[in-house]
Amino acid sequence: ATFQNFHIRIMNLRYVEPTGHDYPKILEEIIAPSTDYGHSACSTFNRRGTLLAVGCREGHINIWDFETRSIATRLVAHDSIVISVSWSRNGCKLLSADWSGLL
């Protein structure tokens, strides 16, 4: 195969986050970790970025509300380590899975 008129163009474009979110550049506040809430194994934000679901090794799920900076609710969902949490598209439901394969 012969390549003719092969050009490489290098462009200096600003990187745009594919999700369209404008993430903060500076960390303004830290929520101090505490074992009182359990030991986290996995986590995911909702689409708006206001709620964080944290699956714990103890089998429960903590829902952190970033507007109030506190736990909104604790869901007792599993008997083993929560290994995955995922919000529904509209953010009204949460799917979780544990180490044994239970959804």
Side-chain angles (χ1 to χ4, degrees):
T2 304
F3 296 100
Q4 295 178 359
N5 298 328
F6 184 76
H7 298 281
I8 298 175
R9 294 185 182 179
I10 299 174
M11 303 181 80
N12 188 11
L13 296 177
R14 183 175 165 260
Y15 174 73
V16 177
E17 177 65 36
T19 60
H21 295 290
D22 186 22
Y23 295 108
K25 305 290 186 257
I26 300 171
L27 182 63
E28 296 176 3
E29 186 176 343
I30 296 173
I31 298 175
S34 170
T35 56
D36 295 341
Y37 303 121
H39 296 88
S40 63
C42 60
S43 63
T44 186
F45 279 98
N46 66 346
R47 290 176 67 93
R48 291 182 33 217
T50 55
L51 299 175
L52 177 67
V54 179
C56 297
R57 294 189 325 203
E58 295 80 9
H60 59 268
I61 300 168
N62 293 323
I63 307 296
W64 283 89
D65 183 341
F66 271 69
E67 292 175 355
T68 63
R69 309 275 196 283
S70 63
I71 290 182
T73 189
R74 175 178 284 177
L75 307 172
V76 179
H78 298 278
D79 293 328
S80 63
I81 300 171
V82 178
I83 60 168
S84 179
V85 287
S86 179
W87 291 97
S88 63
R89 186 176 274 285
N90 65 6
C92 293
K93 297 178 183 174
L94 187 68
L95 177 67
S96 62
D98 68 17
W99 190 258
S100 69
L102 180 69
L103 294 177

